[in-house]
Structures are given as C-alpha cells and as structure tokens.
Amino acid sequence: MLAELKPSRDVFRMKTVAVIGASNNRSKFGNKAVRAFVKTGHKVFPVHPAQTEIEGLPCYKSIGDVPERPNLVSVYVGPEILVKLLPDIAAKGCDELWLNPGTETPEVFARALELGLKTLQTCSILAVGISPSSL
C-alpha cells in the first residue's frame, strides 16, 4: 500500500543518494537538493541527461550510469518522465524512492508498487532538516 509516509528515521544513515532531475540552476529544487544532501554528509550522484557536472560533482546521464547502488533516490522530474524511468530505478535498486512535490501521480505510485519500490511522498530537502529558502 502506498501512502504519504514520513521518510525513514534512518535518513541520516542513508549515505548514498541519486538525485534524478538535478540541475545547474541554483534556484531549482533539483539543485537545492544536491546541495542539501552534500551539506548533510551524503555521497551524492546527480542525474541529468544533458549535464556533465553539477555543483562540482560528476553528473550521470541516467540512473543506470551511477557507479553504485544508491541507498536513496530522490526525484525532481515530472510524472510523465518519471513513469518511464521507474523500471531503470528498480533495476538499479534503492532502499527508498522519494517523490518530491509535483512528481507523484496515481500512475507513478501504481507502477512503483508493481516494481517493488518503497516509495515515499516527501520534500527531500525538508526531510534532511534544511529549509529550501536557506539554500
């Protein structure tokens, strides 16, 4: 059953994070998330098909290109893109998939459930204890 759940209390132990929809635009939440996760001590893998580096970190074209299985995948792409990426996310694996505001739809939740992904609806920046306005 998928519901709006709070992130695992282990969020600070989840040390590897893939941010799908990461951005070089510092005003976008995909960039703020990268900075928030770095600031809280996470190893961050930005994912964006058109970028090579974000905030000084290597950027990966797809989740499949990320060099290790992330503990957490945080998503900043629209649901029409995300639903197509879910099989790749499931193939890579993760402990939790966080759907940030604007990424979730019933179709996304249903497909994630079919693929066995533990999916949470949350703002990842707030979940790690940082206000987006401070970034």
Side-chain angles (χ1 to χ4, degrees):
M1 174 180 192
L2 293 172
E4 188 170 342
L5 302 173
K6 293 192 186 256
S8 167
R9 294 222 183 264
D10 294 332
V11 65
F12 293 103
R13 289 189 328 183
M14 294 181 172
K15 290 296 182 184
T16 56
V17 181
V19 179
I20 297 177
S23 173
N24 273 320
N25 182 336
R26 291 176 64 88
S27 69
K28 292 195 169 199
F29 287 98
N31 179 281
K32 291 180 181 209
V34 168
R35 289 186 282 138
F37 282 119
V38 167
K39 189 174 186 175
T40 55
H42 294 80
K43 182 176 181 181
V44 181
F45 301 103
V47 177
H48 190 288
Q51 302 297 323
T52 57
E53 184 179 287
I54 293 177
E55 293 296 322
L57 300 170
C59 187
Y60 300 90
K61 301 289 181 202
S62 72
I63 188 69
D65 294 334
V66 171
E68 61 186 82
R69 179 190 180 277
N71 301 117
L72 171 65
V73 174
S74 182
V75 181
Y76 287 91
V77 297
E80 65 286 344
I81 295 170
L82 176 55
V83 77
K84 295 173 188 172
L85 298 178
L86 288 172
D88 294 334
I89 295 168
K92 187 65 167 187
C94 62
D95 299 330
E96 293 182 353
L97 171 65
W98 288 6
L99 303 179
N100 290 278
T103 64
E104 71 284 355
T105 64
E107 180 183 10
V108 166
F109 284 128
R111 186 69 177 125
L113 181 62
E114 287 173 13
L115 293 167
L117 292 165
K118 181 179 179 184
T119 305
L120 303 168
Q121 185 177 352
T122 189
C123 172
S124 60
I125 301 166
L126 291 173
V128 297
I130 296 177
S131 170
S133 65
S134 72
L135 296 169

